[in-house]
Amino acid sequence: MHDERWEKLTKAADALRSLLDVPPAVAITLGSGLSDGFGVPAGGALIPCGEIPGFPVPTVAGHSGEFWSGRIGRVPVLLQRGRVHFYEGRTLDEVTFAARLFAVLGAKILIVTNASGAIRENLRAGDLVLITDHINMLGVNPLHGPNLDRLGPRFPDMSAAYTPRLRALAREAANAEKIELKEGVYVATLGPSYETPAEIRAFRAMGADLVGMSTVPEVIAAAHAGMEVLGISLATNLAAGVDPNAALSHDEVIETTKRKGAEMRRLILAILARL
Ligand code: HPA
């Protein structure tokens, strides 16, 4: 079936393919604030998002977004530095464009990182948390609308969206690196306002441990396209009302990503070394 979304994806994939250092086996999406901590690996190719036709270029201040293509150790990686969010007013087709592009390029694994607020009481700001599952509170699903049959089925199973195999690898990597890695369920909200304390209590009752404004659309799209997904969240702050005396600020989120970005990097490198 003719589908403009598919045409746009293949066009972007053709352009990006010609700029790659190596065809990717693993794609990594770095969350806001986490790109700086990860840095740009030596060698390889840097590709500005703007060079890819149809690609939704991030608008966040000072960051127009780029890809890095190359090998990290033995693994052919495509690194996405800077992503677009639903709260920016982007469509979910735009938000999931990169994840689908990775699938079209043949990447089998997507590693996503993000910053989140900690809902569960025994989580602290600065904790690295392995995402075990998610709750979609966006009120929409990125697969809504005609199915992209070339990517995956109409009714994709999400029971193991965060692949158990990769979670086991991540735990192994964390142990070996002596990095404390907690586990939790991530709930996605639209944002951009932070949640109210009542919303956080409701999310806690639903079984959520972390809250954030990204990741879920990308993960649904990647799982739909048959990719294995690994999600790692950095709890940058306690969610609203968890500490009744604290107010939430974007500054705290930035400060924590600066403080812990290098540890996230070390963990991801150790995971890649085990793939
Ligand atoms: N809520 C939503 N998104 C977030 C938070 C939060 O507390 N912290 C970082 N991203």
Side-chain angles (χ1 to χ4, degrees):
M1 191 182 77
H2 169 85
D3 191 312
E4 260 174 38
R5 294 171 302 167
W6 178 254
E7 271 180 20
K8 222 173 145 184
L9 276 169
T10 48
K11 212 169 151 194
D14 289 344
L16 180 50
R17 209 176 275 118
S18 69
L19 301 169
L20 292 175
D21 181 61
V22 57
V26 177
I28 305 176
T29 300
L30 295 170
S32 37
L34 290 162
S35 294
D36 290 343
F38 199 91
V40 180
L46 259 184
I47 306 155
C49 290
E51 290 189 15
I52 306 163
F55 194 87
V57 176
T59 52
V60 176
H63 223 300
S64 56
E66 62 195 5
F67 289 99
W68 176 86
S69 163
R71 280 178 202 277
I72 299 184
R74 288 170 295 106
V75 185
V77 170
L78 183 57
L79 202 61
Q80 182 189 6
R81 295 163 48 84
R83 55 145 76 103
V84 296
H85 298 87
F86 197 30
Y87 63 73
E88 293 172 57
R90 302 306 188 109
T91 65
L92 285 181
D93 276 339
E94 290 178 296
V95 173
T96 55
F97 195 83
R100 288 178 157 163
L101 191 55
F102 301 148
V104 173
L105 288 171
K108 301 288 181 225
I109 293 175
L110 174 64
I111 301 177
V112 281
T113 70
N114 63 38
S116 63
I119 296 176
R120 202 172 68 221
E121 255 95 9
N122 64 349
L123 293 174
R124 292 171 311 230
D127 281 349
L128 288 176
V129 187
L130 187 58
I131 301 177
T132 56
D133 205 345
H134 74 222
I135 299 173
N136 179 7
M137 287 298 288
L138 298 173
V140 280
N141 188 297
L143 307 182
H144 165 250
N147 185 47
L148 271 168
D149 294 327
R150 286 190 164 94
L151 283 177
R154 172 76 292 189
F155 300 109
D157 180 21
M158 291 287 139
S159 0
Y162 299 83
T163 322
R165 179 183 87 88
L166 294 179
R167 280 192 266 148
L169 274 183
R171 281 192 295 268
E172 249 178 68
N175 281 342
E177 290 293 312
K178 299 196 165 38
I179 292 171
E180 192 184 7
L181 183 61
K182 298 192 172 164
E183 299 197 359
V185 172
Y186 177 92
V187 59
T189 61
L190 174 54
S193 61
Y194 288 117
E195 302 68 40
T196 62
E199 286 167 340
I200 294 301
R201 287 195 299 276
F203 292 157
R204 182 183 294 126
M206 291 166 75
D209 304 305
L210 301 165
V211 58
M213 304 172 193
S214 68
T215 304
V216 164
E218 294 97 307
V219 170
I220 292 173
H224 172 246
M227 295 179 83
E228 288 190 294
V229 174
L230 179 70
I232 304 171
S233 188
L234 172 62
T236 52
N237 56 281
L238 298 182
V242 174
D243 173 356
N245 300 314
L248 263 64
S249 78
H250 184 58
D251 289 347
E252 185 185 7
V253 174
I254 299 296
E255 190 274 321
T256 312
T257 52
K258 282 204 175 118
R259 182 160 59 81
K260 300 291 279 195
E263 195 170 270
M264 177 73 94
R265 174 176 190 274
R266 198 153 59 82
L267 177 60
I268 290 175
L269 295 185
I271 292 165
L272 290 176
R274 281 168 177 76
L275 287 175

